[in-house]
Amino acid sequence: MASSTAAAAAVTSLLPPPVGAERPVPQGRLLFRASRAGSRPLRLNPARHHGLSPAPRAAKAVEAGKADPLNVMIAGAPASGKGTQCELIKAKYGLVHISAGDLLRAEIATGTDNGKQAKEFMEKGQLVPDEIVVNMVKGRLLQPDAQEKGWLLDGYPRSYSQAMALETLGIRPDIFILLDVPDELLVERVVGRRLDPETGKIYHLKYSPPENEEIASRLTQRFDDTEEK
């Protein structure tokens, strides 16, 4: 899939340079890179004095060293499972999930300056310029919740120019995750995928069929869920 290859190439410049013995560690089909140099891992240290008798249980305390927020980028072809993995990562690490597509639609709906500019291009059938999307992403990443909790940037950047724009702004992830799925499996997932327009739930005719005929009758297929796309 060209989209996943482009995304992987785009983020190469965003990965932290290897330091000392830090090496990428393969985990199944994903590639996890070691934490950036200088980050502070969470440590739990019992508050006790060496050489003295242990303090009473009521007086014991556990001190937690504050860890830097984790910043993650994830990419993959359509139907590679980004949505599922993002939900799992968000639930485990408490990161703020940011999807560039959702962000673009939200800014258009609320009528922000960036949203108005993006809408003009979309109404003409043109792609939204990188500068506009990068400004949206930058603004969202700088909001207090993302700064405090860390962020999970979903499906962005998608091109070298977008990656370099983020690089210019000093925006880099601690970890980049590429979901590498064989093309034949991607095609099978895509062509069988269906959407319930009332609930927004995603079904698959083979792997996750609708619960009843009523739901099945209203399912729709996205225009880009085709083998060609």
Side-chain angles (χ1 to χ4, degrees):
M1 287 285 178
S3 58
S4 61
T5 303
V11 300
T12 300
S13 63
L14 299 181
L15 292 173
V19 179
E22 290 187 354
R23 299 175 62 87
V25 182
Q27 302 285 343
R29 301 293 292 177
L30 307 184
L31 183 65
F32 293 89
R33 184 171 289 272
S35 299
R36 61 185 174 189
S39 63
R40 300 191 301 276
L42 183 66
R43 294 187 177 91
L44 298 178
N45 301 314
R48 57 190 304 180
H49 298 283
H50 297 290
L52 300 179
S53 300
R57 178 170 299 183
K60 289 184 178 180
V62 176
E63 297 177 351
K66 186 177 180 182
D68 290 331
L70 180 65
N71 298 326
V72 180
M73 287 182 182
I74 185 170
S80 60
K82 290 193 299 295
T84 298
Q85 297 305 321
C86 283
E87 287 299 320
L88 295 173
I89 294 171
K90 182 175 66 173
K92 182 169 183 177
Y93 296 101
L95 305 182
V96 176
H97 181 206
I98 301 171
S99 165
D102 292 343
L103 188 59
L104 178 62
R105 287 184 285 271
E107 295 226 11
I108 291 174
T110 55
T112 65
D113 290 340
N114 284 325
K116 291 176 181 177
Q117 294 181 56
K119 186 177 181 180
E120 291 179 4
F121 285 96
M122 295 175 68
E123 288 178 341
K124 296 175 183 177
Q126 301 174 354
L127 292 176
V128 179
D130 289 343
E131 179 182 357
I132 295 176
V133 182
V134 168
N135 284 335
M136 290 182 183
V137 171
K138 175 188 175 184
R140 184 65 186 91
L141 294 180
L142 292 178
Q143 289 185 16
D145 60 342
Q147 290 291 298
E148 179 183 350
K149 300 177 181 179
W151 43 261
L152 171 61
L153 188 54
D154 177 3
Y156 191 89
R158 293 176 179 268
S159 67
Y160 178 77
S161 60
Q162 292 173 355
M164 291 310 298
L166 292 180
E167 171 75 2
T168 300
L169 295 171
I171 298 173
R172 283 191 171 197
D174 299 308
I175 297 173
F176 175 75
I177 302 173
L178 175 64
L179 302 183
D180 184 14
V181 182
D183 286 355
E184 58 271 18
L185 182 55
L186 291 174
V187 171
E188 183 181 30
R189 289 181 179 180
V190 164
V191 297
R193 188 163 58 182
R194 296 293 186 273
L195 169 69
D196 184 344
E198 292 189 10
T199 64
K201 184 176 179 179
I202 300 294
Y203 292 91
H204 191 280
L205 299 182
K206 178 179 179 181
Y207 300 113
S208 181
E211 294 86 350
N212 54 57
E213 288 298 327
E214 179 183 355
I215 296 176
S217 65
R218 65 176 184 246
L219 295 183
T220 60
Q221 185 176 24
R222 291 187 350 184
F223 76 94
D224 55 348
D225 276 353
T226 64
E227 183 172 351
E228 293 73 21
K229 289 290 184 180

